[in-house]
Amino acid sequence: KNEVEQSPQNLTAQEGEFITINCSYSVGISALHWLQQHPGGGIVSLFMLSSGKKKHGRLIATINIQEKHSSLHITASHPRDSAVYICAVRMDSNYQLIWGAGTKLIIKP
Amino acid sequence: EAGVTQFPSHSVIEKGQTVTLRCDPISGHDNLYWYRRVMGKEIKFLLHFVKESKQDESGMPNNRFLAERTGGTYSTLKVQPAELEDSGVYFCASSRSGVPYEQYFGPGTRLTVT
């Protein structure tokens, strides 16, 4: 079992829908990252969280340290949001990131 | 500021050949990381440099992989000899020193071993 689990693996939605992607982890962490990868593209960091909630434009990320769970929300989704969204955690003990498998999001016009 | 750059963007080599991947971190970032995604699996950590020193190389798969960061600036990752299972995308990231600062990622190098 991977130390970082994401759900769902795949998500297809209509433009305008509210999107939620979940991430659960089983290790002690110092920070959690949400990242975005477009097809054929590199990785872009969206958020780094250690507590609470962050918002950037239509993206919102929350983390519950006690429950070891984080969510990424996209409001008013748009086809350009289509990408793979990846959760990665930084362990307490070192700097390396442990990665989830990613959620492939497709937003249809 | 310029972002993390990687070269080449794509490399196709035959099994048994040698390939060297390069990563140029953001200027002033002491921390440099290598990750890879192979065969549709999760991205995995390979190693972490702090300046020119290897801080953590626990993710390096075997001794066919050699990473260097001479002078604490750019880094190279050499695979010698390459095997089929080395095919994948190799990502580099950098971050500032100190508290766990955000990592900035390069575009990746897609390695295909035939």
Side-chain angles (χ1 to χ4, degrees), chain B residues 3-90:
Chain B
V4 178
T5 58
Q6 291 187 246
F7 181 83
S9 58
H10 191 189
S11 178
V12 181
I13 61 171
E14 293 183 353
K15 176 182 172 181
Q17 289 186 322
T18 297
V19 64
T20 300
L21 313 181
R22 173 170 170 147
C23 168
D24 286 78
I26 292 172
S27 178
H29 282 194
D30 288 339
N31 292 290
L32 187 149
Y33 314 83
W34 282 99
Y35 300 91
R36 73 171 183 175
R37 185 201 290 267
V38 297
M39 290 167 44
K41 296 184 179 178
E42 293 88 3
I43 297 172
K44 296 287 189 184
F45 167 83
L46 293 178
L47 85 160
H48 168 212
F49 283 100
V50 178
K51 297 184 180 178
E52 67 274 8
S53 300
K54 292 175 185 175
Q55 183 76 11
D56 180 354
E57 52 183 330
S58 60
M60 295 287 265
N62 52 60
N63 59 10
R64 296 186 293 103
F65 289 75
L66 175 65
E68 294 180 323
R69 193 183 181 194
T70 307
T73 55
Y74 71 90
S75 174
T76 58
L77 179 65
K78 180 188 288 188
V79 186
Q80 179 183 28
E83 298 289 345
L84 297 178
E85 64 264 25
D86 300 332
S87 295
V89 181
Y90 291 75

Side-chain angles (χ1 to χ4, degrees), chain A residues 46-58:
Chain A
L46 300 173
F47 296 103
M48 186 177 77
L49 292 164
S50 54
S51 66
K53 176 180 175 179
K54 286 189 176 180
K55 184 175 188 294
H56 185 252
R58 295 181 293 106

Side-chain angles (χ1 to χ4, degrees), chain A residues 2 30 33 35 37 40-43 45-46 48 86 90 94-97 99-101, chain B residues 31 33 35 37 42-45 48 56 58 91 98-103 105-107:
Chain A
N2 197 20
S30 58
H33 296 251
L35 308 111
Q37 184 178 26
I43 293 174
S45 180
L46 300 173
M48 186 177 77
I86 309 171
R90 183 198 301 274
N94 56 43
Y95 276 58
Q96 65 172 275
L97 294 180
W99 299 71
Chain B
N31 292 290
Y33 314 83
Y35 300 91
R37 185 201 290 267
E42 293 88 3
I43 297 172
K44 296 287 189 184
F45 167 83
H48 168 212
D56 180 354
S58 60
F91 293 101
V99 298
Y101 285 110
E102 187 167 356
Q103 294 184 22
F105 287 84

